[in-house]
Each structure stands twice: as structure tokens, then as C-alpha cells.
Amino acid sequence: MNRTIFAITLLFAVLNDLSAVQLYIDPFEILAGETKEVSINFTQENETSYCAAQFDLYLPKGLELVMENNSYGVLNPNRTTTSKPHVLRSSFYNNVCYRFMVFAMSGTQYIKGTSGELIKVKIRANGEVEGGTQICEIKNIKLTTAPSPSTVMLDAQTTQIAEYIAKISDSGYGSFSWPYALDFSACDGVATVFRAATTGANGSCILEPIADKIVPANTGVILKGTAGKYCPTMISYASLVESTLIPTSDATYTVNYDKEVYALSTKNGKTGFYSCREGVIVPQFKCYLQGTSTTNAKEIIFLEEDLSDISSLSVDESEHDCYSLSGIKVGTPTRKNVYIQNGRKILIK
């Protein structure tokens, strides 16, 4: 699978005055055929709590960045927190510049210090390089103090995430959540993406398919398919999908008391949501069920796929309007999904 590093743009909270901030590379000399390691420095007059930064690096003619380990640079760990370190993403943007973004998934970790190296890059010179001192330009600087990853949005172009972030275990199931909207339709091994809709009469967790396999940001879902890791496509927007699964897209979750939550697992060949003991940590980017008065006596909540009453039919526009699964009237639907019409579920493909 061709994996492309994504470029993202910040919707920032406080960016009115960037005059006190500098992102720069000191002038340097380089010969044709030479590779030189240089620093992208981040300096500010006061220690503002910026949680993320994005900028574009323009190189003189004949120079290019060297990609190593799927990245055009290495983040200086001394400028970010160690408990939840920042992430560096980079791409060759529109074939004219290199776009960098430094961010933390939690949205609450900040770039440390007022000056010094932020990113280390390697610059290579080809035969077209002009002699003398080389001066690189950094433009389109965007910084954010926003405390939530929901303030981060994609550029207009849709690109694929660099890592395989979603996993289906050998049981054929996997729980998942992510801070941004994702499209799993191109992931051949992911047969179905489920939301948790309701609780069955026997206390089971009833799963309903998301027909277009599009998952909104910070939404807990269950993936079903071939065991393996998957690389969905990040998209800029997704309609709300109601799910009783609680996401851990922002951070891990530590269970406060026995049977407070139920996490997806397989034991003795049975896959379901098993009760967790106090102190168990639910990993980040997963999801779990909240224990209730009707489940606190259970050790396992079984999965029940609600597929039998879904008809793959066209919409009858003449008789009845369509409604979303949450009861919102949508009239005649224009996108793939599961809807309710005349008291029955229909799947629009």
C-alpha cells in the first residue's frame, strides 16, 4: 500500500500577532553532492503555551531535504514534554515547498522554551546548486494555543495517514477511535465498521453497520474483517454518528473501580466486552462500554450484529421520508448510509 504523509492546517485560537515569534534556519554553505545537517530554530520573546505549529520551508534552487524513516526531519525532544511527546509530520507540499507540522494528540502539551532548535533536517545539494551562502525561507507560519485536537483540520486535499493506525485482532474484531474523521472504504480487509447502537434484551451490545465506513472524529467504533493493521484516509468532515462506545482518542483511560467499564477482548474463543478491574488502563485510540446498573453483574457483554432487518433497497420517494438512525428527518438521502423509512431500515449504496 502506498502510504503518504499527510499535511494538515490549523484552525487556531490566538494568532493575531506573530511578530514575537521566529522560525528560521541560519545561513549556511554547501557544495554540490554534499549533505548537511541543519536546525530549524523556534524562538519567541515570551513563553506562550503553543501546543502546535505549522510552517512551509522553501529551499534555494538545487537543494532538497533528505527523507529518513518516513520523515523529512527529527523533532528535538527537549522542546516538548516527555510524558506525551509531540508528533512531527512533514510532506513535500504541492511540489514547491516542505510543509511541517508539530502537534500533540492530546492538544494540551506545549512546546517548551523560548529559543533553540525545534527540528533537525538534512539538506542535500545536487549539481544545480549555486555557490555561496544559502538562505532558506520559512513562510505561512501558523501556531495554536487551542487546547483540543478538534481544532485541527485538514487541508482541502484528502491524503492518507502515514501509519497503520487501526488494528483488527485474530478474533476478526477491533475497537477504534481517532481525533479526526476517517474513511475506511478503501481498506479492503475492513469488511464492516460498526457503531454501538443499543443494548439488547439480554444485555448484549447491538452493533449497527456504518454503511459508508466513514467515522467522525472522536467516535468509538468496532471494526470487523481480516486480522491486520489498516491505514484509513483522513477526511476534513464526517456527519455525526451516534455510538454508545466511549472513545479514548484523546488519552488512555484508567478504570476507577471494578466493572466501571467493559473493553473489547477475546477469551476462550468468545469475543465481547469484558469487565475491567480497577487500575486497568484502556489504551489510547480504542473505545469501551460504560458499565451500568444492568451490566454490573456481568463479566461479559456479548456482541450482537444487527444486520438481519436491513434491506438493500432504493428509497421510495413517493410515500415516506427517510430518517437517520438517531431519528433526524433527512428527506431523500443523497449519501450512502443506513436509514429508516416506513418503519424499516434500508441501506443506500
Side-chain angles (χ1 to χ4, degrees):
M1 179 183 293
N2 182 23
R3 299 186 296 160
T4 305
I5 296 178
F6 62 87
I8 48 186
T9 297
L10 295 173
L11 178 65
F12 32 88
V14 181
L15 283 184
N16 296 327
D17 183 14
L18 293 179
S19 59
V21 175
Q22 288 184 307
L23 273 160
Y24 61 94
I25 293 178
D26 289 324
F28 61 93
E29 295 187 357
I30 191 170
L31 302 175
E34 184 181 3
T35 298
K36 178 162 290 190
E37 194 171 67
V38 300
S39 298
I40 299 176
N41 301 296
F42 176 78
T43 299
Q44 56 178 332
E45 291 182 2
N46 49 58
E47 198 165 348
T48 303
S49 297
Y50 293 116
C51 68
Q54 178 185 290
F55 58 89
D56 296 334
L57 171 62
Y58 290 80
L59 299 181
K61 181 180 178 180
L63 300 184
E64 62 183 3
L65 291 187
V66 178
M67 175 177 280
E68 294 182 336
N69 298 320
N70 213 25
S71 177
Y72 284 112
V74 178
L75 188 62
N76 180 0
N78 295 323
R79 296 300 301 273
T80 65
T81 58
T82 56
S83 58
K84 295 180 181 178
H86 280 61
V87 177
L88 172 65
R89 292 289 179 263
S90 57
S91 66
F92 189 43
Y93 188 63
N94 287 340
N95 293 319
V96 295
C97 65
Y98 296 89
R99 173 158 290 182
F100 289 85
M101 182 175 177
V102 178
F103 66 101
M105 278 301 182
S106 68
T108 58
Q109 306 298 316
Y110 300 102
I111 299 173
K112 296 162 54 179
T114 57
S115 64
E117 178 188 270
L118 181 64
I119 301 169
K120 181 82 73 177
V121 297
K122 288 184 178 181
I123 297 179
R124 179 168 53 213
N126 58 36
E128 298 179 356
V129 66
E130 298 179 359
T133 301
Q134 305 296 324
I135 299 176
C136 304
E137 291 186 272
I138 293 181
K139 301 179 180 179
N140 305 321
I141 299 173
K142 297 180 180 180
L143 303 167
T144 179
T145 59
S148 170
S150 64
T151 58
V152 183
M153 299 182 66
L154 278 171
D155 282 335
Q157 63 181 16
T158 299
T159 51
Q160 200 170 49
I161 297 174
E163 293 89 1
Y164 293 109
I165 60 172
K167 181 180 179 181
I168 295 177
S169 70
D170 291 339
S171 69
Y173 291 92
S175 71
F176 182 73
S177 62
W178 193 250
Y180 316 112
L182 298 172
D183 184 353
F184 281 89
S185 61
C187 299
D188 294 336
V190 180
T192 314
V193 179
F194 291 102
R195 72 184 186 101
T198 56
T199 302
N202 61 350
S204 62
C205 176
I206 297 179
L207 302 178
E208 290 192 349
I210 300 173
D212 53 11
K213 300 182 182 179
I214 291 178
V215 180
N218 301 309
T219 301
V221 294
I222 299 298
L223 308 177
K224 180 182 179 181
T226 305
K229 295 180 180 180
Y230 294 94
C231 182
T233 300
M234 184 176 285
I235 56 178
S236 59
Y237 174 78
S239 299
L240 176 67
V241 171
E242 295 185 1
S243 178
T244 57
L245 293 167
I246 299 175
T248 58
S249 46
D250 284 348
T252 60
Y253 181 77
T254 302
V255 179
N256 294 303
Y257 53 88
D258 290 356
K259 297 185 180 179
E260 178 199 12
V261 305
Y262 288 72
L264 186 70
S265 184
T266 301
K267 298 180 181 179
N268 299 320
K270 295 180 180 180
T271 299
F273 285 91
Y274 285 81
S275 63
C276 298
R277 294 187 178 277
E278 178 183 352
V280 169
I281 298 176
V282 182
Q284 192 175 11
F285 311 129
K286 301 291 185 179
C287 58
Y288 60 88
L289 280 176
Q290 185 74 48
T292 65
S293 58
T294 59
T295 62
N296 59 15
K298 294 177 176 291
E299 291 295 332
I300 179 175
I301 301 175
F302 290 102
L303 305 180
E304 184 179 339
E305 297 178 16
D306 185 12
L307 299 172
S308 59
D309 61 344
I310 298 178
S311 304
S312 181
L313 301 173
S314 60
V315 177
D316 186 350
E317 300 180 18
S318 61
E319 295 186 5
H320 300 279
D321 288 318
C322 286
Y323 295 82
S324 69
L325 293 176
S326 58
I328 300 174
K329 184 177 178 179
V330 295
T332 302
T334 57
R335 55 172 293 177
K336 299 182 292 182
N337 212 330
V338 178
Y339 299 91
I340 298 174
Q341 185 187 47
N342 195 23
R344 65 176 178 175
K345 292 175 186 174
I346 58 173
L347 174 61
I348 305 301
K349 295 183 176 181

